[in-house]
Amino acid sequence: MISKFNYFLLCLFLMSFTACSEDDDFITQEPDQETELPSNPDEESNEDEILNLDFTISENLADYYSEVSFDVTVEELKEELVNLTSDKHTNFLEYWQRHDYLYNATEDPNNPDNVILVYSGESRPKNQYQSGNNDNSTQTFNTEHIYPRSKITVETGESDLHNFYPADIGINSSRGNYPFAEGDGSYSSMGTSWYPGDDWRGDIARIVMYMNIRYAQTFEKVGNLDLFLEWNAADPVSELEVQKNNAIEEAQGNRNPFIDNPYLATVIWGGDEAVNTWTTNYSGPISEEYTDNSDDSEDSENDDEEEDDNTGGDNEGSENAILMFSEYVEGGGNNKAIEILNMSEETADLTAFSIKKQVNGNGEWSNELQLSGSLSPGEVFVIINAQSDLQQLLDEADITQNGAPMDFNGDDPVGLFNNGTLIDMIGVSGDVDFGKDVTLRRKSTVDGPATTYDEDEWETFDKNNVENIGTY
């Protein structure tokens, strides 16, 4: 028989053993058992980690970047580049002044009389730029805003040369203000997005990154950051980019740091690793081939005119010219068009004007289409849906636009804007079919634009009646 004392000792021993076993189980969990592990303090402090960037900056750039410390955190480096790019931007140009600088900045490295056009890579004579002040009758290219002007939220950013490239007029129109998207090969429309082409994707990415650090413009409006980081790494900096960066520094004071070193984007945002140009092993920018599509006869015919008539370059028309809608076509299918009349006695600078629509008359203006070029007094400017199949519309079109705002329906008011201010309007808010399946032509007695739609100012014609489009 076990005594009470021995029984007490046995129980005490068993209780002690059980407690130790439970405690051991808690401490020595199996490694593959799912549990929330304590966070790694090193991982939490990564963004505060001091960078160790052993850059060898070339002599010609050393002074420009002398105030940037690369022994800082990622966020501090980004802030330093933001401040540098802003502080060095000392000369703020007017929009029209791009003609004085852009064509030298994008000069064909193999032909100083030509410029290189974005996307197509064509080489065209410098005197073929589109402008009301250009007396050369052959005008084949205008200014492409890589980050669309209609999406820029900072006024000074609208005239920043870093955001510009010359572009074929038709290609520029096809791109419109669509965001960029993945693609392959040469430039192409992707429906409601745009692929710039294999040879231009890096250039585009670095410009968008510049617009982000200089004006805090978002990546999402024009694509996405992962895409631009991929393009920045896949398409190295070209000689043309370096030439343009140098010329723009002389014009407005600042540089695009991601052209100087694409690897800065990798440091700041991560993603695919781009070439680090600030090393002793860097072999220099790539040389690309461009297609010379100059028309020698037209070029030589206008050489003297360029010398005599393009010396001023003060502007390409007036932003204060009086414009109004003169015709509205809401035909079958995609047969949609807008005609704009210059009522004033001065040439209009169309870059100051845009059109927008209200979806179902919801009261909110959206889908802005920025106009380009110029419009002489008494002349009209025709914009059509690119999918129109009426030959008259195709023949008279000055701009063909895929999608919005040229996909309007009879209950979508259309507005004409001058520097963001509504100056004329077709239609009424409130989901009203004011213009379904009709052509509206403004009466000749109307003496100016109006921000309130008055149906008595318009004549109504049957659907697909476009016989007078292009004349007023």
Side-chain angles (χ1 to χ4, degrees), residues 217-229:
Q217 301 304 289
T218 66
F219 294 105
E220 289 71 25
K221 284 185 179 180
V222 291
N224 65 78
L225 177 57
D226 289 341
L227 178 68
F228 296 129
L229 289 171

Side-chain angles (χ1 to χ4, degrees), residues 105-173:
T106 56
E107 182 179 284
D108 184 344
N110 301 314
N111 185 349
D113 293 328
N114 285 15
V115 296
I116 299 301
L117 306 187
V118 69
Y119 307 137
S120 64
E122 295 173 276
S123 176
R124 301 261 184 92
K126 288 180 179 178
N127 67 346
Q128 290 186 4
Y129 66 94
Q130 186 181 53
S131 170
N133 279 4
N134 184 2
D135 289 336
N136 182 8
S137 60
T138 303
Q139 300 184 12
T140 67
F141 66 84
N142 55 16
T143 303
E144 159 72 324
H145 301 69
I146 304 303
Y147 202 108
R149 189 181 184 188
S150 61
K151 297 182 178 183
I152 297 174
T153 59
V154 180
E155 185 176 356
T156 53
E158 296 181 13
S159 57
D160 193 313
L161 291 172
H162 283 292
N163 189 40
F164 297 157
Y165 256 109
D168 174 85
I169 293 173
I171 295 174
N172 194 355
S173 176

